[in-house]
Amino acid sequence: MFIEGMLENDKPIVLDAANNVFVGPNGYFKVVIDKFDGKTIQAWHVEDAKGNSTGNLAGRAQGKNIDLLINKNCRTVSHFMKRIALQVLAEQQKQIKELTKK
Amino acid sequence: MAADKAEARALMTAPAKNCAVVAEFPGIQDVTTKSYIRKITLSEGLVIRKSRIENGKIIIPPSGLYYTTRTPKSGVLQGDKVLLLGKLYQFVDQSTKLDVITNVWVGKKKGVPFGDATKRLRLSKLAMGANGFPVPNATFQILKQSGNYYGVAFPVATSNLFTDITSGKLNNGSGRKTGTYLPTDKGQDFETEYYASSVAISGQTYLVADKVTPKGAQVKEFATGALTSMLLSPNEPVEAVVGVGEKVKGGGFTAEVTKVGPNWADVKLTCDKSGAAYTKRLGPLTADVLKYMPVDEERRARFILRDPADRVQLQLNIYKAGGAFQNGKVQLALLTDLVKLGNPSPWTPDKRFIYRPDT
């Protein structure tokens, strides 16, 4: 019975403002650092092979890490998401409130 | 491939609580496919964990970034597929192992490694008041390489204040009839009647506790299975219903049926280039053999013939509509250009990556 397989980076990945792109296995996705001053990541995103791009992902960690979860339909990812779902819900309601302020 | 001495792998860890969350993204896909017996949805995911900023650099440790592909318990021989980086592969065969540990003490909130030490048995919860009086109840979990837990938890307790159900005490029920009982009723003592089990199970996985205390638990024995390798095929299988003397070609090999019995078939697999030939009797297909199929590795092999280098697999197609035996002919499938993945193994198309099943 097979449930899950992973493709992991073998060596450490080191990124900075000059070396700002990490290409995933077989070029399937890219992690791109858009703005980094050496202390805080102001902007970064993920791209897929077709050029689709996420928005800026720096918000939740306030630029202190690039930890990531993509795709709620993947059970591996959703288990992690469920641990932080209530916090994310509260953050998003706060953001909606900010955005709808007249 | 060797573990990076300079920096440990980020196995068995979760992303930070303040990680970036993307619910849906076009390039990380969900694909619904049909196997011989069911419709299944396969989902990809992308995870980064343990990333940090150090000396003006952003660092992701080894195994800190992983692409994951998830299946709803895919089986072999039944036409299930595996999604890898947007491409569908046939799930051809797999091999498994059972990791066992015995007589280990596990402290509260601590864990012990087992197998190749990429997974841990964790004592996640030691509750003292779970029953309304102070007695320890332990809940074990299996922490996997991905940072997730195995889907089932293992609750155990041992105390003279509990009746251990492994004694068989509840096997035929308590003897009570349907109704409502009060503590003062004659013969009733349910306010001090508490049950626990010193054994917890989930399929092949079992945990036997010797002793559970407020500080931890002594595990007598724990066992769980895992994949050691799997074979995939990037091509559609060559499928045919063939009689004696008829051939099926694919992947640089020719398969031929030489004899058909009531529930078996003699087959020959020949390498087109070298002429090397391999023969086997596939079957017999009986109700008894089918009991633990398709997971039973040893019995499954009776329906499979591969060349010694695992380039192709010829199989009796027992799960495809119409069945394996049809009017003196047999239904075969030839799976070609096989790819073998280990636990772990380098991902050959891009050696910056390691493949590892998370089971």
Side-chain angles (χ1 to χ4, degrees):
Chain A
M1 216 160 58
F2 174 67
I3 298 170
E4 181 184 8
M6 302 152 69
L7 289 169
E8 317 156 4
N9 59 308
D10 187 24
K11 298 273 180 328
I13 297 165
V14 182
L15 296 165
D16 57 23
N19 241 322
N20 70 323
V21 179
F22 178 78
V23 179
N26 302 28
Y28 199 58
F29 58 84
K30 275 183 201 164
V31 176
V32 184
I33 309 299
D34 299 301
K35 204 170 170 202
F36 175 54
D37 62 9
K39 286 200 172 112
T40 308
I41 307 139
Q42 285 87 1
W44 70 284
H45 71 275
V46 173
E47 278 171 35
D48 68 19
K50 289 186 177 147
N52 295 300
S53 179
T54 65
N56 179 9
L57 299 172
R60 288 203 73 240
Q62 301 189 318
K64 296 299 172 203
N65 67 54
I66 55 165
D67 280 16
L68 172 72
L69 289 170
I70 296 183
N71 193 12
K72 66 172 177 51
N73 298 328
C74 171
R75 282 173 64 95
T76 301
V77 170
S78 66
H79 283 304
F80 291 132
M81 280 185 179
K82 282 173 187 170
R83 296 181 199 177
I84 56 171
L86 299 179
Q87 181 57 35
V88 173
L89 178 69
E91 287 167 16
Q92 292 192 337
Q93 291 201 344
K94 201 172 154 190
Q95 284 166 343
I96 291 164
K97 216 168 169 177
E98 291 293 318
L99 288 168
T100 51
K101 264 186 187 168
K102 293 245 164 44
Chain B
M1 256 308 287
D4 196 293
K5 290 278 183 291
E7 185 160 19
R9 296 202 170 278
L11 295 170
M12 301 180 279
T13 61
K17 285 192 167 62
N18 61 2
C19 67
V21 176
V22 182
E24 288 171 348
F25 184 56
I28 301 294
Q29 305 177 63
D30 305 309
V31 176
T32 299
T33 75
K34 264 186 83 122
S35 72
Y36 296 150
I37 58 167
R38 60 185 184 151
K39 212 162 110 174
I40 55 173
T41 299
L42 308 168
S43 293
E44 301 179 321
L46 185 58
V47 175
I48 300 178
R49 53 186 171 175
K50 293 285 166 189
S51 66
R52 64 184 193 273
I53 297 168
E54 200 175 90
N55 304 324
K57 309 270 183 202
I58 302 159
I59 297 162
I60 304 172
S63 304
L65 176 148
Y66 67 84
Y67 158 93
T68 175
T69 184
R70 190 94 190 200
T71 79
K73 296 181 181 171
S74 286
V76 300
L77 286 185
Q78 56 192 32
D80 282 353
K81 294 173 185 71
V82 172
L83 179 64
L84 265 173
L85 301 173
K87 182 177 167 44
L88 285 171
Y89 293 78
Q90 312 295 322
F91 185 27
V92 178
D93 203 3
Q94 62 169 42
S95 58
T96 56
K97 61 175 179 174
L98 187 73
D99 291 317
V100 180
I101 48 172
T102 57
N103 302 317
V104 288
W105 170 261
V106 189
K108 185 180 179 176
K109 298 272 182 194
K110 296 274 190 288
V112 286
F114 60 87
D116 64 0
T118 61
K119 291 189 284 188
R120 287 174 85 79
L121 177 66
R122 266 193 101 240
L123 177 43
S124 304
K125 205 163 104 186
L126 195 53
M128 285 302 292
N131 310 85
F133 57 94
V135 64
N137 285 267
T139 305
F140 282 91
Q141 286 182 295
I142 300 170
L143 179 59
K144 301 191 297 179
Q145 298 93 334
S146 63
N148 265 308
Y149 291 105
Y150 179 80
V152 176
F154 301 89
V156 284
T158 59
S159 162
N160 57 7
L161 301 177
F162 293 138
T163 300
D164 191 335
I165 59 158
T166 61
S167 66
K169 173 80 179 166
L170 274 181
N171 282 7
N172 299 310
S174 72
R176 292 189 179 102
K177 304 262 184 300
T178 303
T180 304
Y181 296 84
L182 298 172
T184 49
D185 290 349
K186 194 172 183 288
Q188 290 305 315
D189 204 10
F190 64 81
E191 74 274 23
T192 59
E193 192 178 315
Y194 285 85
Y195 297 98
S197 177
S198 56
V199 177
I201 51 93
S202 167
Q204 275 182 322
T205 303
Y206 60 88
L207 186 146
V208 184
D210 251 338
K211 202 166 151 192
V212 178
T213 79
K215 289 205 163 106
Q218 179 72 20
V219 175
K220 186 183 179 71
E221 192 176 330
F222 163 77
T224 191
L227 250 68
T228 50
S229 71
M230 57 197 281
L231 284 168
L232 302 174
S233 167
N235 313 323
E236 281 295 313
V238 185
E239 297 168 339
V241 178
V242 288
V244 172
E246 293 184 280
K247 292 174 180 169
V248 180
K249 280 174 135 357
F253 282 79
T254 302
E256 186 183 346
V257 177
T258 55
K259 204 170 178 187
V260 179
N263 58 5
W264 53 264
D266 287 343
V267 292
K268 186 173 160 190
L269 188 61
T270 309
C271 176
D272 297 340
K273 203 169 169 185
S274 69
Y278 314 97
T279 58
K280 190 171 181 178
R281 173 161 292 188
L282 301 183
L285 179 64
T286 64
D288 188 54
V289 167
L290 281 172
K291 278 183 191 163
Y292 287 96
M293 289 287 281
V295 290
D296 182 340
E297 223 163 294
E298 286 192 281
R299 289 180 168 196
R300 193 170 67 226
R302 297 180 192 182
F303 305 105
I304 290 170
L305 171 60
R306 283 200 297 268
D307 68 295
D310 286 341
R311 286 169 291 179
V312 293
Q313 172 166 309
L314 178 68
Q315 68 190 37
L316 203 56
N317 233 4
I318 58 175
Y319 289 105
K320 192 168 162 66
F325 299 95
Q326 300 177 26
N327 309 319
K329 293 190 169 197
V330 284
Q331 181 156 228
L332 298 175
L334 186 62
L335 295 136
T336 57
D337 302 328
L338 303 188
V339 178
K340 192 170 191 171
L341 296 170
N343 180 3
S345 65
W347 174 245
T348 317
D350 188 340
K351 289 205 172 134
R352 298 172 305 143
F353 287 84
I354 295 170
Y355 173 83
R356 189 193 309 269
D358 183 57
T359 53

